[in-house]
Amino acid sequence: QVKLVESGGGLVQPGGSLRLSCAASLSVFSIYAMGWYRQAPGKQRELVATITSGGSTNYADSVKGRFTISRDNAKNTVYLQMNSLKPEDTAVYYCNAKFTISYWGQGTQVTVSS
């Protein structure tokens, strides 16, 4: 059974940083496009960043220049480095793996507050 496990969320002050990790139990991790999405209370889930199997990245306009997505195929892990965090970044962050089927993690809470 495929499992995506996020970690690294927590409470951080505005301007701070967090690094999210997503460990995937995928047999051929490298062929999957990986992504981070988030969902704030009362809002729809939205794309944050994606990275293809070839390493090409894409970001939501709201996080460009502040967040960086990366992957380590040897560790079956995708990361999201989040810098200059803002209160509006507060949300549950979900990891996604997509090839022919899409898989989701259970989410990790990120709260940006003073």
Side-chain angles (χ1 to χ4, degrees), residues 8-77:
L11 173 64
V12 63
Q13 291 187 340
S17 298
L18 282 175
R19 188 195 197 202
L20 304 184
S21 299
C22 171
S25 63
L26 294 164
S27 58
V28 191
F29 175 81
S30 61
I31 67 173
Y32 283 80
M34 301 298 297
W36 288 97
Y37 292 72
R38 66 187 181 187
Q39 187 166 17
K43 294 189 177 182
Q44 289 193 332
R45 191 173 297 189
E46 63 176 4
L47 180 146
V48 175
T50 60
I51 184 166
T52 67
S53 58
S56 297
T57 58
N58 181 55
Y59 297 92
D61 287 343
S62 59
V63 307
K64 279 181 182 175
R66 300 189 297 123
F67 291 11
T68 302
I69 189 170
S70 61
R71 64 191 297 161
D72 186 337
N73 291 336
K75 296 183 177 180
N76 279 25
T77 301

Side-chain angles (χ1 to χ4, degrees), residues 76-98:
N76 279 25
T77 301
V78 62
Y79 304 97
L80 186 68
Q81 178 66 43
M82 305 187 294
N83 299 328
S84 302
L85 282 160
K86 304 175 181 179
E88 51 263 44
D89 294 317
T90 295
V92 178
Y93 283 70
Y94 296 92
C95 177
N96 174 262
K98 186 184 301 181

